[in-house]
Structure formats: structure tokens, C-alpha cells
Amino acid sequence: MDNPKTAVNTLTQMIHALQKSSDFKTNTIALPYQEIFISYFITLIDETKLQESLILILQRRSSESPIRSTEELLPLIPIHELEITDCLEVIHQKLFKGYVVIRLNEDDQKCALVHIPNQIGFRNSNDTENEFSVVGPKVGFIEDLDTNIHLLRLQINVPSLIVKEMTIGSMSHTRVAILYIDGITNEEIVSRIEKRLKEIDFDIVFDSSQLDQIIADNSNTPFPLFMSTERRDRVVYSLISGQVAFISDGSPYFITGPSTLFDFFISPEDYYLPWILGSFFRLIRIFGVIFSLFASALYVGVMTFHYEVVPHSLLGPLIYSRINVPFTPLLEVLFLEITIEFLREAGARLPTKIGQTLGIVGGIIIGQAAVEAALTSNILIIIVSLSALASFATPIYKMANTIRFLRFPIIVLASIWGGLGIFIGVCFLLVHITRLKSLGFPYTVPIYPFRAAGFKDSFLRLPYQINHSRPSYLRPKLLQRYKPKDVKKHKQEWDEN
Amino acid sequence: MVKSLFRSIIPLTLCLVLTACGNEKLINEIMLVQTLGFDSIGSNVRGSILIGDYRKKGEVNAALLDTVTTSELDIIHALNAKAKSPLEYGQLGIIVFGNEYSRQGVDAVIENLCRDTRISTRMQLAVTDKSAYDLLHAAKKMKDAYMLSDMIEQSMDNGNLPSTNLQQALYSFYTNGRDLYLPHLTLERNELKADGVALFKDEKYVVQVGLEQSLLLKMLLENTKNGSYLVPDSIKNGNGGLTLLRILKSKTKYSLTKRPSKPLMTIELLINAEIRDVPNRAQYHASDLIPQFEHRIEAYIANEINKLLALCQKYETDPLGLEDIVIRNSQPPMDSSQGDISGFDTEVKVKLDIISQ
Amino acid sequence: MNNEMKDKYQLSPILLYFLLFVSIIDLGILSYQKTILHFAGYNAWISVFITGIGVHVIVWMIYRILSSFKNEAMDVIDVNRICFGLIIGKIFDAMIIFYFFYGAFLMFRGYLSIVQVWLFPGMPIWPVSLVLIILIYYTVTGGIRTINGLSFWGMLAVIACVLPLLFMLTKYLHPLNLKPLLNHSVTEIMLSSKSMVFQFLGVESLLMIYPFIQSPAKSQKWAHFAVLTSTALYVLLLAITFMFYSENELKLLVWPTLHMYMILHVQFFQRLEHVAVSILCITIIANLSLSLWMASRAARRSFSIKQHRSILVFLFAFLLGAVFIKDYDNLMAFIDPYSATGFYLLFGYIPILFVMMQFKKNRNKP
């Protein structure tokens, strides 16, 4: 028990101790032959349902004969989460989860616990604003675990979708559910996640992403090692590919793993558009990310060290743009990049109406004024704003943050050693992502370890005909998802088709 | 323990490293040397440079600096004394050699250029019959530091000059059976003009050929896609009149025939050309007159080429690399120092196709 | 010595290709044309073929040596133990460790001098050395898988650097230079082949990597493929160099390949040699990491020195040595003994091991 002063040994004492909170109520239901005592937290219980499914039923039953023992209540009450116990720990836990304690006598140790939760306070639907897509379903998750699992079961309605629950958090006792598809998923992945989650010692779990960071293979990396999403179609796609998903109660984000670097460039829209367009947009995203990482660094490198790389016709505009700027290119770039970071951070927290105006005004006026005052060059403003835009080309917000962060070390390296510095930075990055493992699986599959089959769904999204098997690095039990359609051979003449 | 020590050293060294960077050359704090000229004054060398000045928007100016030193290697460093910011010659577009200077020999500069890692081998070299300083001065008045190199490149792309750059020049200079040839510039009524090719014997400038003969050189060296040639002939009657041929395509084949006395080098030149408009156009549609015209022109061009080869032989220069071909193709393989342009005979055959509209 | 690797740590056969390719094609690609020009002149491309064939034979021999005993995958330490016994075996091990370390050091310093000459004249050596050393440490501590990953990127980097040279220079090539086809004697061509062996000196990495490959027999074709593609690359690049430069000019240049980049230009970039030198950084780091990993692993297997300690010693020696060698000419003096040692290692030591292992194998048969 939490309170060391009064030792609570019996149920009666516990209920007496809980009376201190004004939202804890103990009611006596007066029935013809006896009195039944119910105790619960008003704020956690749905009063209407209490009235209908509990009190009415009890009144109806005991109008004929008295209820002798608590066990008789079991078949009576039409709510499935019902148990009979006398363990104080369990009773204490369940009271906080919206259970009602039913005792037949006031000093009974044994009681029945019935679950009648109150569902208000949750959103009805989730507009997935952070992961918006133009086409396709926009079904998202909310903060209630049962609703989320309900949504998933609606789409994957086979019995092989297994849900394993556990409790994490010494103060919050949060329910965490692990989901996977039996018969497809490699058992090792499931057991790894279970083992790691069981070993967690934490106090309150606010969000699944905390769990994701704690159980990650390497918490010192800026790269996200698990995918977190609040869209239903993404989670379903991970599950059927052979990945495992878990979520904690109170969080709308599902964490799926193991993930690779390319999973963060995949958008559900790619699958709803024709494959040529889907592949094109993926390539644009990857190009955008590379541009975002290296554009400012290239500017710094060329302006500081490698003036010979510029062709004759570009020399004029480039030199003119910097002619009165008193700073070195490094300081110019850092100044602009940090300004953009300020704009982004401030814009994320301002109320909508102020945010829009300030964003436009701030961006345009600061940019224009900086050029007029010759603090920066206009070419650089274009480059920095384009790369800031391009860093948000990745559909997953976590990866966009990583890209924005990684720009800075590369810019600093470029200012020390120019082009060589950029490639030293690239080397560090490459070694780092090659060393990363997500749940023990390498992070840069299919590039390294090289798997030709894995390229079908990474840079390009090949048509459903070709793309019919699961990623092999996950070692799923069943490799093929579906049988592709046979392509008709053109034995007929062209004009007779 | 070692690991944690190592990990704490890393940020520290990175801070130190920030202070000891490579030498910075901020693009707006250096002065870019874009044209360089060498003249010889007595036994000294006079170097002049054009620097691009981009301080005004949309306008490019050029500044001219010059100085006199005892050796070419010193020019840039001596000129630094006259410059506001450090001089950098990585963006050098062209080097011009003055008349006197090139007659004495350009090998000092060329050997330096061969090994220099800072310049681009796409840049141009040129010879002039005035002094390089005058040329640079005229270019400065046109307010363009890249004027000379752009002009030469334009002539190479659309005019009569054979295309060349530092790489080709080095190649011709160092190959034993070839000789250097460079574009020739001059001032005509204070306007710059690219008016031919300068031929070198080893490292000394010996003779200049005009634009017409430059076109012949160009056709013999590469596939010419433009260039115009004036022939003193016309389709009508074969007497008098001028026709301007615009070259569309040219192809040369060199073959060596062994003979008991001297090997015979046969040069076969195939030209596709079109006739630019001249009066009396109606006459040109008479298609039976065209083959005769072609034959006459073929003979004329072959004659001109022979004259050019005779000129080269007279001055002991070989821009076409005929010696090289002879040396490499002869059996048993000749030692490269034995080849001599008089060691073989040449025969020229020209085939002209007029493409009519 | 028990050398069985758990299946988890092994590499699939195709990955051997990247490791070997990056071992073979290293810094030498920038300057190898000069060294082989010395004897065979412009017929040297024939020498490259001959060297390539020789190296193929050596690779085959290495496979036969290391797979002599069917049930275990051996590496060179085991072979030394078997052939020469404990004491002499350890002496040979020490020589091999020093050989790997020395080769890595020469390449490290060579790369730094290229950076100094082409990108940043007058740059102090120790900052770049320090950062590169940290990078190498980070790579090597990731194990052979990380090194393999980086060598995949290294291979792509080499291809990206060489492709422009193969395709964009056609305007400036003079095919006539390749004639006359054979005006040097066989001795001269063989001498050029001998100096070309220096460029192939990465193949002996196979001696240490062998136990890490999943199914050694299947990987043999990838090893041969790596040698084949390297030979093809060398020959093509050599042919292009010869068609591009005249012989007298080539004798004056120190880094002909880099010089060829000066003439390339794309719409908004010219002077691609800055880019080329920077991109090759990836290949060099992969190569160095592999050599140092092999040296420290051999030190651990032979003398039981912990890998962390030996790698720190090697890297510290790198830093000291890099600072004390002043310039490229100094460095050339150190390269010649390494080149000779490499030649005798490949074409002397390995055949001897081959013969001895054949005897031992026959003796073990009843």
C-alpha cells in the first residue's frame, strides 16, 4: 500500500482509507432480502451503465431470493470482465481502472469486481494530421487501447492476429499490447520484443515512443530505429510484412519493428497511386533528403575553398551575391539555418492564427532584410529555404528531425576541410548507419547486406505483380503474400485482340 | 577506461581542429586572374593580367595589372604586390604570348603548366603579333576579362579555327612526331580578332597561317561541323565569281603505303558542304553542273592543301602529326627520333559533296 | 586453433566481392600508370593482363591452401602453425602483421599527400590525420560487417569516379598512341608486370577473411570475379590514359588519373578532381579499416593481444608516422621495400605454403 502510516490489511480498512477522496463513493443497494454494498470512483465509472447492467439486474435477481454467496454473482452480471477475489493488491489496482467493488456484507474480504468504464474524454476519431495523405483512408488511432485494437481487428479479421498484453510502469500500470500475425512472423522477433519490454523498469509511461527509446538497440543515435505511426494502414502493412507492433494504453502511436532506413521514406500514398507515380515520388523524396543534407554544406565548401569548381558563367552571380557580406560562409549559413530552426520551433507552438501571420512575415521580412543589409547572400537564402523544405519530404516526422539535425555537423566539417570534409562526414554517416541494428536486424538492408530481392520495394515501388513477397531479412515463416496474376502472352494478332 | 578516455578526447580534439583548417580562399575575398599575358622586354618578362571585377550588379568589369620580372615563374607573386586581395589563378581562362616572347620559345611556361595542379587544362593559349599587353588592354576596354578566351572558343565552335585547348597543346608539344599550333590573335583597328593559327617548331613560333588555311587545318585534324570557305569559282561558267561554302562535315583518312624509295602518305579528305546564297540562284538548280563544280573545287582544295604542306615543310613544322603516323605505322618500328617530314611523300585526295537545298 | 565462427557473424559469399575489390583498387589507381610505364612503355597494358592472370592463379592457390582440411575454415595463422610449427610460425605471423600495418600506413600517408598537393597546399597534416584516425577507429570497432558495408560504398565510389573518365573523354583520345603494338622485348613486359603487382596487393586479404565467409567454396567465383573486374578496370583506365597523353608528358606527371579530371566539365561543375579526391576518401577509409582489422585480428589470434589495444597502438603509430614524413618524395622511398615484399609474399610465400600444405594433406591421409 502506498500510505505507510495506516496499515491496511482488510478490504474494509482499504475502502475506509479511500473515502478521503471525494470522488470515491460507497453505496448501499437496498434489496428486499439484503443489502449489497458497492464501492467505486465516480469519475471512473459510467453511471448509466452501472444503473442498467448492475443495479437493475441485482434488484431483479434478488427480488425472488437472497443472494447467498459472491460466486453467484458470476453468471448473473452480463459483463465479461468480472472476477471474484480477495487479494488486496488486485482490488486496489482494479479500482483505479474503472472497476466496481461489490460486497454482500460490509466486512467481507471477498468481493466481486465488475468493469464498467467511462468512455468520455477520448476523441471520437483521429485526423491523422501529422501523417497526412491525399488519397487513401485516413483512419487513425486514439488514446484508448481497446478502441485501437478494435480498429485493427476490423481490418485484419483472421484469428492469427495475436494480441499479447502486459503491464509496464510502477505508478501507471499501463497496459501494453504486442501484436503480430501468427504463422507469418518470425517467433524470434516477438520473443525479443517481449523480453525487452518485460525487463523495463519505469514509473509512468506517457507514450509508446518512450518505450521505443528504452528498448532500442542503440539509444545514442539520432536515427529512429522503430517506426511510430498513428495511421491504421501503415500498421496493417507492417503486420502483414512480418513485423511486430506494440502500443501502450493512452497513446495513439503504434510502434512497429524491426525497421530499416528505407521504411522511413515509404508513404502509404505510394501504394494507392500507380506504381510509376509511386516510384517517382519515392525517388524525389530520396533526392530531397540528399539535397537537404548536403546543399548548405556544398555552398560553404565551394565558397570557402573550392572556387575553381564554379564554371565561368556562374562566377558573376556568385561573387556579386557575397560582395559586401562581412561574414565567412560558415557564419552566414549557420545564421540562416538557426533562423529557420527558430521559425520552425516557434511556428510549431504558436496558436494557429498568430502562427501563420508571423511565419509569413518573419520568413519573408527576415529574409529580405537580411539580404538588403548584406548580412547574407540571396543565393544562400534560396538554398537554405529549399533544403529546409526538402528535409520535410520524408513522410515520417522522426526522420525529418534527424535530417535537420545531421545537416549541422556536415556544414561544420565542410567549413574546415571543404569537399573532403563533406565526404568525411558522409563516411561517418555511412559507418554509423551500417552499424545500427533494429531489433538485431541490420538497418541498411537491402543495400547492405546486399539483397537483390529487397530492392523491389525500396527505391522504386514495383507493381503488385512483381512485389508479391515479404521482405526476406525478417525471415518470415511464409514468404509469399499472394499469387500474382499471370500475364497473358500475346499469341493473338494485334488487330484481333 | 581507455574507451571513455578516448571518447572524451574526441570532442576536445575536434575543438582544436576547428582552429587549424586548410587555407581558406573565400570567393569574394580573392581576385581571380582570368587572362594572363607574357611579353618579353629585352631579357626580362613582362606579365599582364586581367582580373574580373564583380562589384556591380549585372556588370562585369576588368582590371589590368602588369609588371616586369626576370622570369615567368615569378609573375603572379610579383603582381601580388599590386593587388588588394590575394591573386588566385585557378580560374585562368587564357594565356596570351606576345610576338617576341613566342619567337624566343614558350617552353618555360608550357612545362610549368604541365605539372601545375591549380589550373584547368581546358584553358586556351594564344599567340599574337602585337604585344600581349595591348591585347589585354583592348579586352579591358570591352569590360570583359574572359573576352579573349570566349572569342577564341567561339571561333573554334562556329568559325575556322581548329579546336584546341591546353590539353591538346600539351599533347602536340610533347609528342615527338607533332608540333604545337595555337590560335593567333591580332588587333584590327583596335578591335580584337582571331585571325588564324600560329605554327610552332618545337617551342618557337615560326609562321602564321590565315583563316582560310586554318580551315584546311581544321578539316584535316577533326570533324568540322562549321566554318566557311571562299572559293574563287562559281557554278555558272567556271570563270570568275566567288562561292562561299559552308562546311557541314569533314572526315580525313590517313594511310601509309610502303614504297621502295620513300613511304607514301595518302590523305583522303571527305567534305560535305553547302553553298551559301549568292546571286543567280536559279543557276544552281541545274544539277548537272554541280558535279563539274565539285571536281573543280576538289582540285582547288587539294592544291591549297599541298601548298599548306609545303609551307609546313619549309618551316619544319608538323601540326598534323604526319610524322607521328609514319613513325608508328612503319615496320620495323622506327625510333621516334628518326622521323622527318621529308622522309615521306604526301598525296592529297579530296572528295567534295555539295548538299543542295 | 579453433576458428569456427558462429553462423551469425558470417558474411554471405557475394559480400566478399566488395571487400576484395576495395582491397585491390585503392590509391594506386591514381598514379599506377607512371610506375609501369618505366619498362614497357606504351605496351604496358599487356603487362597488366599478365599480372591479372598471375593473380588469378594465386587466388586459386589461396583457396586450395585454406580449404585443405575440409572440416575447418582456416586462416593464415593456422596455416603458419601447421607448416612451420610454433616459433617460426609466430615469426611469420609477426611479419604478416607488420606487413598489413605498413601497407595501411603507406596508403594513409599517400592519401594525405594527395590531399595536400591537390586540394589544400600548405595544410598541416595532423588535424586531418586525427579525424581520419577517429573515423578508422569507429569503423574497425564495428567489426568485419561494418567494414564490409563501407567497402560496398567504397566500390560504388570507385565506379563513380572512374566512369566519367571512361565515357566523357572520347573527344580527346588519340587511338594512334597505342601503336606500335609490340615494340618492347618480353623481358621489359615482364618487368612491367612485376611492378604492376603492387597494384594488386590487396588480394592477400583473403588469407585473413576466409573464415568469415559463409560457404567458402561458393565464394571462390566471387573472388575471381573481383580480380577480373579489377584487371579490366586497370586495363581500361590504362588504355584511356595512353590514348590521352603523349609518352613524354606522362613521364612528367605524378598523378595522371587526377590530371585527366581537369578537362571534364558538367553544366554547373568543372574541375572534377576536387570531387574525385574527396569521393575516394570513402574507398581509402574502407581499405585502411580492412588492413588494420586484419592486422589486429592476426595479433589477437597469434599473440593474444586484445584487439582494442593493438588497434590503438597502430593508430597512434599512424599519427606519428604521418607527421614525420614530410612529403611525397620522402614517401616514395618507403614504398619500394613494401612493393618488393608484397611481390615476394604473393608470388613466393603463397606458392611455398601451397606446396607445403599439399604435403601435409597427403601425409594426413592414411
Side-chain angles (χ1 to χ4, degrees):
Chain A
M1 284 297 124
D2 296 333
N3 195 348
K5 285 190 192 157
T6 56
V8 179
N9 291 326
T10 65
L11 186 51
T12 327
Q13 282 175 343
M14 183 171 85
I15 291 189
H16 187 72
L18 284 172
Q19 298 276 32
K20 284 200 204 138
S21 281
S22 54
D23 59 340
F24 188 78
K25 203 158 119 179
T26 305
N27 268 348
T28 319
I29 307 179
L31 298 170
Y33 290 97
Q34 70 198 118
E35 278 182 342
I36 297 186
F37 299 91
I38 55 175
S39 318
Y40 55 92
F41 276 101
I42 307 178
T43 44
L44 291 174
I45 297 293
D46 186 354
E47 298 253 351
T48 334
K49 213 164 152 202
L50 181 70
Q51 195 65 19
E52 291 168 357
S53 13
L54 194 58
I55 300 184
L56 275 176
I57 306 237
L58 285 176
Q59 283 171 340
R60 207 181 301 143
R61 158 74 180 77
S62 59
S63 58
E64 306 140 23
S65 60
I67 304 173
R68 293 288 141 94
S69 67
T70 331
E71 277 80 6
E72 278 182 41
L73 290 171
L74 259 178
L76 194 61
I77 301 176
I79 293 178
H80 75 280
E81 276 147 340
L82 168 66
E83 59 183 279
I84 314 275
T85 176
D86 62 351
C87 172
L88 281 179
E89 281 279 335
V90 173
I91 298 175
H92 189 259
Q93 258 187 29
K94 300 270 179 172
L95 265 177
F96 284 99
K97 291 209 189 288
Y99 278 70
V100 178
V101 171
I102 310 177
R103 287 172 294 159
L104 292 179
N105 296 316
E106 200 154 5
D107 47 2
D108 250 358
Q109 280 292 77
K110 214 174 354 168
C111 68
L113 288 166
V114 182
H115 188 45
I116 310 179
N118 192 346
Q119 284 289 26
I120 63 166
F122 289 126
R123 296 179 275 170
N124 274 332
S125 72
N126 182 9
D127 292 328
T128 55
E129 331 173 306
N130 294 334
E131 296 174 48
F132 181 73
S133 76
V134 181
V135 292
K138 297 177 192 26
V139 177
F141 296 114
I142 65 172
E143 280 82 1
D144 180 39
L145 181 65
D146 294 318
T147 319
N148 294 340
I149 298 186
H150 152 84
L151 282 171
L152 271 179
R153 282 232 185 253
L154 276 182
Q155 193 151 47
I156 308 181
N157 40 21
V158 282
S160 41
L161 174 65
I162 312 271
V163 179
K164 281 194 183 174
E165 259 191 48
M166 58 173 72
T167 332
I168 298 182
S170 52
M171 274 223 251
S172 62
H173 297 293
T174 321
R175 289 162 60 202
V176 172
I178 303 177
L179 290 90
Y180 66 97
I181 299 188
D182 193 21
I184 292 180
T185 316
N186 192 354
E187 296 286 330
E188 224 186 294
I189 308 179
V190 184
S191 55
R192 266 187 216 162
I193 288 193
E194 264 194 273
K195 178 163 162 291
R196 290 187 194 187
L197 281 174
K198 283 205 176 100
E199 287 170 355
I200 295 182
D201 185 23
F202 204 64
D203 47 5
I204 297 192
V205 178
F206 291 100
D207 188 48
S208 339
S209 23
Q210 287 179 312
L211 294 175
D212 145 21
Q213 286 171 43
I214 298 175
I215 69 172
D217 299 56
N218 181 352
S219 51
N220 290 331
T221 169
F223 284 92
L225 291 174
F226 290 98
M227 168 106 77
S228 77
T229 174
E230 53 177 5
R231 287 181 65 110
R232 184 176 69 168
D233 42 11
R234 253 194 214 273
V235 179
V236 169
Y237 190 71
S238 312
L239 284 175
I240 60 174
S241 302
Q243 294 181 338
V244 174
F246 66 90
I247 187 171
S248 71
D249 195 13
S251 161
Y253 281 92
F254 257 94
I255 308 286
T256 64
S259 36
T260 68
L261 185 60
F262 289 98
D263 286 344
F264 295 96
F265 294 96
I266 294 181
S267 157
E269 268 189 342
D270 299 340
Y271 297 95
Y272 305 138
L273 295 171
W275 71 275
I276 298 185
L277 293 179
S279 311
F280 174 66
F281 291 137
R282 273 207 203 160
L283 290 175
I284 291 213
R285 264 175 238 145
I286 295 181
F287 173 69
V289 163
I290 296 180
F291 176 80
S292 168
L293 266 179
F294 296 115
S296 310
L298 259 180
Y299 178 84
V300 171
V302 168
M303 291 287 146
T304 316
F305 296 104
H306 300 298
Y307 69 91
E308 303 125 345
V309 171
V310 181
H312 297 327
S313 42
L314 272 182
L315 268 180
L318 275 177
I319 298 184
Y320 172 71
S321 71
R322 265 194 65 84
I323 201 78
N324 284 322
V325 177
F327 303 127
T328 59
L330 171 68
L331 288 177
E332 240 190 298
V333 170
L334 283 180
F335 168 63
L336 274 181
E337 293 274 355
I338 293 184
T339 310
I340 297 240
E341 294 297 316
F342 285 161
L343 277 173
R344 193 203 58 80
E345 284 285 335
R349 295 177 218 308
L350 287 173
T352 341
K353 300 218 170 96
I354 307 182
Q356 272 182 359
T357 325
L358 206 59
I360 296 177
V361 163
I364 297 183
I365 291 195
I366 290 181
Q368 199 61 23
V371 173
E372 291 289 316
L375 285 176
T376 70
S377 65
N378 43 9
I379 291 187
L380 182 60
I381 291 199
I382 299 177
I383 292 180
V384 168
S385 17
L386 270 182
S387 50
L389 272 181
S391 73
F392 287 103
T394 61
I396 307 274
Y397 181 64
K398 283 177 160 189
M399 189 54 112
N401 286 339
T402 311
I403 306 285
R404 273 201 358 260
F405 166 73
L406 282 177
R407 275 217 292 264
F408 288 94
I410 298 192
I411 291 178
V412 171
L413 275 173
S415 74
I416 306 179
W417 287 300
L420 182 66
I422 295 181
F423 279 96
I424 292 181
V426 166
C427 257
F428 264 113
L429 251 185
L430 287 176
V431 174
H432 182 71
I433 61 175
T434 313
R435 282 178 78 148
L436 281 178
K437 288 194 190 312
S438 170
L439 271 188
F441 291 90
Y443 193 61
T444 49
V445 162
I447 291 195
Y448 175 78
F450 187 78
R451 297 204 197 286
F455 279 99
K456 286 190 231 159
D457 201 10
S458 56
F459 288 103
L460 303 172
R461 206 266 298 168
L462 293 182
Y464 291 111
Q465 230 109 315
I466 304 181
N467 205 357
H468 57 75
S469 51
R470 301 194 162 93
S472 63
Y473 74 95
L474 292 169
R475 317 252 168 86
K477 290 186 192 160
L478 221 68
L479 202 57
Q480 214 180 29
R481 278 172 55 187
Y482 51 84
K483 232 166 83 159
K485 201 167 62 165
D486 285 329
V487 178
K488 273 190 290 205
K489 300 234 185 251
H490 294 282
K491 289 228 169 95
Q492 303 149 316
E493 291 288 332
W494 300 330
D495 299 315
E496 292 170 17
N497 209 341
Chain B
M1 202 288 271
V2 180
K3 251 205 233 176
S4 62
L5 188 66
F6 209 62
R7 284 201 187 127
S8 56
I9 285 181
I10 292 174
L12 202 64
T13 44
L14 283 180
C15 294
L16 286 175
V17 148
L18 268 172
T19 58
C21 27
N23 41 354
E24 294 188 335
K25 292 180 224 150
L26 298 187
I27 202 172
N28 57 324
E29 286 177 13
I30 51 174
M31 302 188 84
L32 294 172
V33 175
Q34 288 162 349
T35 308
L36 177 59
F38 286 110
D39 287 310
S40 79
I41 297 191
S43 58
N44 289 336
V45 175
R46 177 191 201 181
S48 28
I49 57 173
L50 273 180
I51 304 174
D53 176 4
Y54 298 97
R55 273 177 295 194
K56 288 220 180 61
K57 180 163 186 161
E59 241 182 70
V60 175
N61 283 321
L64 177 63
L65 298 176
D66 76 298
T67 186
V68 178
T69 57
T70 45
S71 144
E72 305 85 357
L73 309 172
D74 227 23
I75 291 288
I76 300 281
H77 298 115
L79 283 167
N80 248 321
K82 290 192 180 182
K84 171 184 146 193
S85 322
L87 288 175
E88 289 287 337
Y89 59 97
Q91 290 274 18
L92 196 55
I94 181 172
I95 296 185
V96 182
F97 299 114
N99 199 359
E100 296 280 320
Y101 186 82
S102 38
R103 294 221 185 252
Q104 285 170 13
V106 297
D107 52 330
V109 175
I110 291 213
E111 280 177 11
N112 246 319
L113 289 176
C114 177
R115 255 179 303 208
D116 201 333
T117 57
R118 310 235 61 89
I119 50 155
S120 159
T121 41
R122 289 180 72 235
M123 77 175 194
Q124 302 294 333
L125 301 174
V127 173
T128 173
D129 56 353
K130 307 275 189 297
S131 77
Y133 180 78
D134 295 332
L135 247 62
L136 264 63
H137 194 73
K140 175 193 154 110
K141 286 210 287 243
M142 306 278 295
K143 289 193 172 197
D144 188 351
Y146 278 121
M147 169 88 194
L148 289 166
S149 61
D150 287 342
M151 193 173 77
I152 290 186
E153 279 176 13
Q154 199 272 119
S155 279
M156 289 178 188
D157 291 335
N158 301 320
N160 285 6
L161 291 184
S163 72
T164 175
N165 48 27
L166 179 61
Q167 166 61 27
Q168 302 275 52
L170 286 174
Y171 181 74
S172 306
F173 183 73
Y174 279 107
T175 307
N176 281 328
R178 304 177 86 104
D179 280 310
L180 185 58
Y181 61 94
L182 295 177
H184 189 270
L185 297 171
T186 189
L187 275 177
E188 195 178 79
R189 290 187 298 275
N190 278 334
E191 288 163 359
L192 293 163
K193 180 174 174 193
D195 69 339
V197 169
L199 301 176
F200 280 67
K201 173 176 159 56
D202 294 333
E203 73 273 5
K204 294 195 174 46
Y205 165 43
V206 287
V207 69
Q208 181 215 343
V209 294
L211 279 174
E212 309 245 319
Q213 286 173 312
S214 312
L215 182 63
L216 294 175
L217 261 182
K218 184 172 176 173
M219 287 196 286
L220 288 170
L221 282 168
E222 64 194 38
N223 174 11
T224 313
K225 293 206 179 68
N226 19 47
S228 40
Y229 197 63
L230 202 59
V231 292
D233 200 343
S234 58
I235 287 191
K236 196 154 60 159
N237 272 322
N239 49 349
L242 293 171
T243 323
L244 187 65
L245 291 175
R246 183 106 190 126
I247 314 287
L248 296 174
K249 180 178 155 193
S250 81
K251 194 162 163 211
T252 318
K253 187 164 155 217
Y254 296 93
S255 42
L256 195 61
T257 343
K258 226 167 145 38
R259 282 189 317 190
S261 48
K262 277 189 207 175
L264 173 69
M265 163 84 70
T266 316
I267 305 177
E268 291 168 33
L269 175 61
L270 167 68
I271 309 177
N272 285 355
E274 66 173 5
I275 301 181
R276 279 316 208 174
D277 38 15
V278 277
N280 299 342
R281 197 195 294 222
Q283 287 284 6
Y284 294 92
H285 288 290
S287 49
D288 54 332
L289 285 178
I290 292 195
Q292 295 171 10
F293 179 67
E294 283 176 1
H295 284 310
R296 290 200 302 269
I297 303 298
E298 283 169 9
Y300 174 75
I301 294 183
N303 198 12
E304 289 295 314
I305 295 182
N306 277 324
K307 280 198 236 169
L308 178 63
L309 290 174
L311 182 73
C312 294
Q313 205 166 9
K314 176 175 160 204
Y315 284 97
E316 293 177 12
T317 173
D318 186 10
L320 296 172
L322 297 173
E323 289 177 42
D324 195 32
I325 300 176
V326 170
I327 293 170
R328 289 189 187 272
N329 277 324
S330 48
Q331 300 281 356
M334 252 199 257
D335 190 7
S336 48
S337 56
Q338 279 174 347
D340 183 7
I341 197 161
S342 56
F344 54 92
D345 287 331
T346 53
E347 183 196 345
V348 179
K349 294 186 198 160
V350 179
K351 173 103 183 57
L352 174 67
D353 275 327
I354 304 264
I355 312 283
S356 50
Q357 253 72 353
Chain C
M1 262 194 211
N2 190 3
N3 205 7
E4 278 155 24
M5 290 288 122
K6 275 195 266 183
D7 191 49
K8 228 169 69 131
Y9 297 118
Q10 289 199 320
L11 306 168
S12 72
I14 190 178
L15 298 177
L16 178 66
Y17 174 78
F18 304 127
L19 280 175
L20 274 188
F21 188 87
V22 162
S23 301
I24 299 177
I25 306 251
D26 48 35
L27 204 61
I29 201 174
L30 297 177
S31 60
Y32 72 107
Q33 296 99 332
K34 266 215 71 172
T35 44
I36 59 177
L37 194 62
H38 192 235
F39 290 109
Y42 268 40
N43 297 134
W45 54 279
I46 304 177
S47 322
V48 179
F49 268 126
I50 297 178
T51 318
I53 295 177
V55 173
H56 271 291
V57 172
I58 296 293
V59 168
W60 175 81
M61 268 195 223
I62 294 181
Y63 266 90
R64 292 301 293 268
I65 296 174
L66 294 177
S67 62
S68 302
F69 297 119
K70 292 275 185 229
N71 52 348
E72 33 175 304
M74 297 190 287
D75 63 10
V76 73
I77 310 286
D78 297 324
V79 172
N80 274 339
R81 220 38 102 252
I82 296 176
C83 289
F84 300 113
L86 195 64
I87 300 183
I88 305 189
K90 283 211 181 196
I91 296 180
F92 274 116
D93 291 344
M95 280 164 49
I96 289 184
I97 294 174
F98 185 68
Y99 168 80
F100 284 140
F101 162 72
Y102 194 60
F105 171 68
L106 289 178
M107 179 144 2
F108 182 69
R109 188 60 184 81
Y111 183 68
L112 286 177
S113 54
I114 288 188
V115 166
Q116 215 181 13
V117 169
W118 284 83
L119 292 183
F120 306 116
M123 169 189 78
I125 290 278
W126 67 270
V128 192
S129 306
L130 202 53
V131 175
L132 286 179
I133 283 175
I134 295 173
L135 183 55
I136 296 175
Y137 179 78
Y138 189 47
T139 317
V140 175
T141 46
I144 187 74
R145 307 208 86 145
T146 315
I147 300 178
N148 203 343
L150 195 62
S151 45
F152 172 75
W153 295 106
M155 185 202 87
L156 285 184
V158 167
I159 305 273
C161 280
V162 172
L163 270 179
L165 289 182
L166 297 181
F167 292 113
M168 285 172 68
L169 284 178
T170 39
K171 212 163 64 145
Y172 302 102
L173 296 179
H174 305 268
L176 189 62
N177 275 1
L178 291 178
K179 278 184 162 184
L181 281 178
L182 263 183
N183 60 344
H184 288 89
S185 65
V186 180
T187 335
E188 289 173 324
I189 294 188
M190 295 307 285
L191 282 174
S192 269
S193 296
K194 182 169 175 224
S195 43
M196 186 64 194
V197 171
F198 177 50
Q199 302 306 329
F200 280 90
L201 277 186
V203 168
E204 65 272 8
S205 327
L206 203 48
L207 290 171
M208 287 297 299
I209 307 178
Y210 191 77
F212 282 89
I213 309 171
Q214 243 164 17
S215 32
K218 275 194 227 158
S219 66
Q220 188 167 6
K221 67 173 190 280
W222 290 110
H224 280 294
F225 188 54
V227 176
L228 186 69
T229 40
S230 317
T231 317
L233 194 72
Y234 276 133
V235 169
L236 271 178
L237 198 56
L238 194 65
I240 299 239
T241 315
F242 285 164
M243 290 197 273
F244 190 74
Y245 290 112
S246 57
E247 193 164 346
N248 296 332
E249 189 183 353
L250 198 51
K251 287 190 187 146
L252 293 174
L253 297 174
V254 186
W255 287 287
T257 321
L258 281 180
H259 243 274
M260 284 201 274
Y261 281 106
M262 278 185 180
I263 209 167
L264 295 175
H265 98 118
V266 196
Q267 269 301 34
F268 45 86
F269 252 55
Q270 56 178 19
R271 304 291 296 283
L272 293 181
E273 74 267 13
H274 291 256
V275 181
V277 172
S278 311
I279 292 186
L280 281 179
C281 169
I282 303 181
T283 318
I284 303 292
I285 299 287
N287 194 319
L288 292 176
S289 315
L290 184 63
S291 305
L292 284 181
W293 176 85
M294 289 194 299
S296 66
R297 188 170 165 77
R300 192 191 96 182
R301 298 216 50 233
S302 177
F303 298 102
S304 304
I305 308 178
K306 281 204 176 158
Q307 278 190 284
H308 280 291
R309 296 223 181 111
S310 53
I311 199 80
L312 285 176
V313 166
F314 289 143
L315 290 177
F316 188 62
F318 263 28
L319 187 58
L320 280 183
V323 172
F324 281 123
I325 298 190
K326 288 300 168 196
D327 59 18
Y328 194 67
D329 292 326
N330 254 351
L331 191 65
M332 294 303 283
F334 288 92
I335 290 184
D336 294 326
Y338 175 72
S339 171
T341 318
F343 177 73
Y344 290 116
L345 182 98
L346 267 192
F347 287 98
Y349 179 67
I350 290 184
I352 294 178
L353 279 185
F354 179 65
V355 167
M356 291 183 79
M357 286 303 281
Q358 294 290 88
F359 276 139
K360 300 273 175 181
K361 204 165 63 167
N362 288 339
R363 206 183 296 168
N364 272 357
K365 282 189 193 158

